[in-house]
Amino acid sequence: MNTAPISPIRLFIPQDVAALAVGAERVVKAITSHAAADGTPITITRTGSRGLFWLETLVEVETLAGRIAYGPVNPHDVPGLFNAGFLLGGAHPLRLGRMEDHPWLKGQTRLTFARCGIVDPLSLADYEATGGYKGLRHALAIGPAAIVETVTKSGLRGRGGAGFPTGVKWKTVADTKAPQKYIVCNADEGDSGTFADRMIMEGDPFCLIEGMSIAGIAVGATKGYIYSRSEYPHANRTMRAAIAEAYRTGRLGADILGSGVTFDLELRVGAGAYVCGEETALLESLEGKRGQVRAKPPLPAHKGLFGQPTVINNLISLATVPVILAEGAAYYADFGMGRSRGTMPIQIAGNVRHGGLYETAFGVTLGEIVEGIGDGTATGRPVKAVQCGGPLGAYFPPILFDTPYDYEAFAQRDGLIGHGGVVVFDDSVDMAAQARFAMEFCAIESCGKCTPCRIGSTRGREVVEKIMAGREVDANLVLLEDLCATMKFGSLCALGGFTPYPVLSAVRHYPEDFRRRHAAAAE
Amino acid sequence: MPSASHRPTWDPFRAEAIIADHAQMPGALLPILHALQEEFGHVPEPAVPLLADALNLSRAEVHGVITFYHDFRHDPSGRHVVKLCRAEACQSMKGEHTASHLLRRLGIDWGGTTPDGSVTVEPVYCLGLCATAPAALVDGEPHGRLTPESLAGIVEEARRA
C-alpha cells in the first residue's frame, strides 16, 4: 500500500477471560504504547474470543485485504510486529492471514457462535449489522403459536445435557394459563471442560437477550432471569452492561422494539454450588433458598419459579433461537444426524494441543474431535482417556473413538454429551484417582436432599480408596457396582444419578488402574 | 487471625442499608448475601438476625442458606484471594501438583489464610478456562497455563502490591 492511512488503523483484540488469562491486557498495553511512540493512530476494539485458545492472544488488524490475524502474540513480540509492518498486514512468523480462511474455523458451522470473537460485544450497531434482531422482528410478525412451531420444527434440543426438545417445553408453558410466567436462562455452567455459555456472555450477549425475548413472546412471559455463576465475574460484567444497553435502546422493558410487548430481564449470580445447574435447584436458588433439588412432578413448565409456569432453558439453547427464527426451522434442522439436529458447540479442553470451541453439526466422531480437531495431547503423550459431558460424564478410551457425536450414540455407549465438554487426559492419568474424584466431587456438591447421593457419594469415595489401597479389591469392586446402581436409580437428580458414569466407565475401561496395589501385593 | 485491613469492620447501619436496598427484589437473599460479602469480605454473623427480620424468615433459614453455598465466608479472607481450580480439565494439566506447591509454600491448606493475613487460597470447580489449564483467579484476575513457578510469582507479586 503506498498511501498513508488517513483514519486510525483498527485492531481487534479479545477481552475474553481466556485471552486475559494468557496476557491479552499486557499485549494491548504494549501495542498502545508502541503505536503512541511511533505517532501511529490506532483504535483497538475489544471482542469476545473466536475460540482458538492456543492462538490467544489473537490480534487482528483491519486492512484492505480483510482482517489479518497474528497469534499467539506475547508482549515481547510487539516490537517485532511493528518492525514487520503488521499494521498493514505485513509478513511475520506469527501472521495467520484472514481467520475466515483458517482451517480450524473453516471446518466449523457457526450458527450460535457466528458473531463471537468478531464483533464488539456491547455494540448494538455491530449486532444489527450482522443479522441481530432479525429473529425477534420475525417473531413479532408471526406471533406466539408460529414461534413455538418454528422452534419445534427446527429440532432444537436442550443444550444443557438432557436434550429435551425445546419447542415441546415452550408449548407446555404457552398452554398453561397463569397471571405471571417466567423465562429462566440456565447459565450455571459448572461442568469442567465447558465454556460456551461464558463465551456468549462475553462475546455476544445481545444474542442471548434476543433469544430470551423471543421465548417470552412465544409463551407469554414478561420477565426473564439469567442465572449465572460467581466464578464468571467478567462474563457477568459484560452481560449486565448489555442488559443496560438493551433497556436504554428500547430492546428490553415495556415496549420492546415498539411492539407493545413487555419483557424485563435481570442477571442473578449463584454462589459456588454446582448442583444449582440442575434446573429445580436453580429455581430454588433464584427464590433465595438453599439450592436443593425439587421432586418432579410438578414440572417447572407447570410450576416453576415462584410457583408460576417457567421456561427454563440452557443458555446455548436460548442463544440459538434467534438464528432459527431469522433463517427458518428447515435451515437449522438441515444440519446434524438422526434425532440430533443442528449444531453443537463442542468445547475441547484439558490436555489438548488445539483446545477451544468448535461448533459443528452433530455426527463428527469423538476420534476426529480429539485427534483431528484437537490435534492430540498438549504434552505430546498418547491419549488415555477423554471425559465427555462434565464431571458426571463417562470416560471414553481411544478404542471408542469411533462414537459419533450425537445424543443417542453416546447414550448407547453409556455416555452423555452433556453441555458439550470434552476433556482430554494423557497416559499419566490414574483412572482410579479420577473415579475417587468423581465420588468426592459428588459428596462436596450434593444438596443433601436424597440419601443415595448424600451418603452414597461419601461411601463411594471410601470404597474407591480401599480399592486403591489394595484392600479386598474384588469384593469392593462388586460393592462399588452395587452402590453405583443404587445412586443411578435412587437419586433425585443427575448429580447422584450420573456420578456412576465416570466411576463405572473408569472401572470398565481401565481395570488395571484399580488393581495396581493388588497386583503389587500378589507378586 | 488478623482481620483483612482493606475491608470495613462490621457496621450494622451499613448492613441495614444494604439489606434495605435489595429487600424488595423477589428472591432477595442471595443478592443481599453477595452484597454483604462484597462490603465486609465475609457474611458477618450479626447480619443473620437483620436478614431474618427484613425478609420475614427464621434465623435458621438464613443460616441454612449461608452455609449451603460455598462462596459465603464466615470469617474475613486474607488481603489477597487465590481461587484455584481443582476440576478435571485443570487436573489433566497437573493442576493438583501446581496447587500443592503453592499451599506448601504458603504453609496453609485449602481454604486457609497465611498467618500474616495476606493470602487466602480457596478451591473452585471450574472457571471456564479449561483450554488454558490449569487456571486461577487471583484477586479476580484470570491466570492460565499455570506452573508451580508462574503461580508462585503471581502470588508474590500480589502480596508485594
Side-chain angles (χ1 to χ4, degrees), chain A residues 226-307:
Chain A
I226 300 167
Y227 186 93
S228 179
R229 318 175 60 220
S230 60
E231 293 88 342
Y232 284 181
H234 299 73
N236 296 340
R237 273 201 288 278
T238 307
M239 198 67 233
R240 280 207 178 94
I243 291 172
E245 179 66 4
Y247 268 107
R248 199 184 61 78
T249 56
R251 284 165 176 82
L252 282 173
D255 182 21
I256 54 174
L257 291 174
S259 64
V261 176
T262 297
F263 191 70
D264 286 302
L265 183 58
E266 194 182 325
L267 179 85
R268 290 285 178 94
V269 179
Y274 175 76
V275 74
C276 290
E278 196 282 332
E279 60 180 14
T280 62
L282 188 156
L283 295 174
E284 289 284 302
S285 183
L286 261 182
E287 292 181 6
K289 302 174 187 158
R290 292 161 68 88
Q292 283 195 314
V293 174
R294 296 176 185 170
K296 289 193 270 194
L299 295 170
H302 291 131
K303 267 180 184 277
L305 186 62
F306 302 115

Side-chain angles (χ1 to χ4, degrees), chain A residues 104-118:
Chain A
W104 219 77
L105 277 170
K106 252 188 136 167
Q108 300 191 41
T109 304
R110 288 224 163 172
L111 304 182
T112 312
F113 283 80
R115 287 180 207 88
C116 202
I118 298 173

Side-chain angles (χ1 to χ4, degrees), chain A residues 6-29:
Chain A
I6 41 172
S7 53
I9 296 171
R10 197 167 176 205
L11 282 80
F12 300 86
I13 302 178
Q15 201 164 20
D16 183 282
V17 73
L20 300 182
V22 296
E25 224 48 57
R26 283 180 287 127
V27 172
V28 168
K29 275 203 188 97

